[in-house]
Amino acid sequence: MLWPLLLCGAASLAAILQLLHSYGDRRRCAWYVQLAAAASWFLPFTIVFILPFDFSSTLYRICDHDCDEPLGYIGDRFTRHLWVTLYWTMYLLT
């Protein structure tokens, strides 16, 4: 079930766009600078939302599926690809 993760991603994107609108000057700043700023703010914001899903999914995998599946369960392979993508994208942006 990825809908809770997508919902959190959409909420963080909305918050970031609001912050860019409030603090950025769209007329004086180039579009690619705004895009880089949005990406560099979006990725750390998503880490805050991904961690609880990752923790609950890991605890579910540890209990050998005897427990109820968490609402925001994400698979091990998807989690690994997500963290690698986030890590290297943030590395390239800094």
Side-chain angles (χ1 to χ4, degrees), residues 21-74:
H21 179 71
S22 298
Y23 295 116
D25 188 4
R26 299 181 79 179
R27 285 168 265 157
R28 292 180 46 194
C29 194
W31 67 270
Y32 52 87
V33 174
Q34 292 179 5
L35 183 65
S40 64
W41 283 6
F42 179 71
L43 297 175
F45 272 56
T46 56
I47 288 174
V48 172
F49 289 120
I50 291 171
L51 278 175
F53 293 115
D54 189 17
F55 290 156
S56 65
S57 298
T58 302
L59 289 175
Y60 175 69
R61 284 190 290 275
I62 288 173
C63 78
D64 295 327
H65 306 290
D66 294 334
C67 312
D68 293 333
E69 183 176 292
L71 179 65
Y73 177 75
I74 50 178

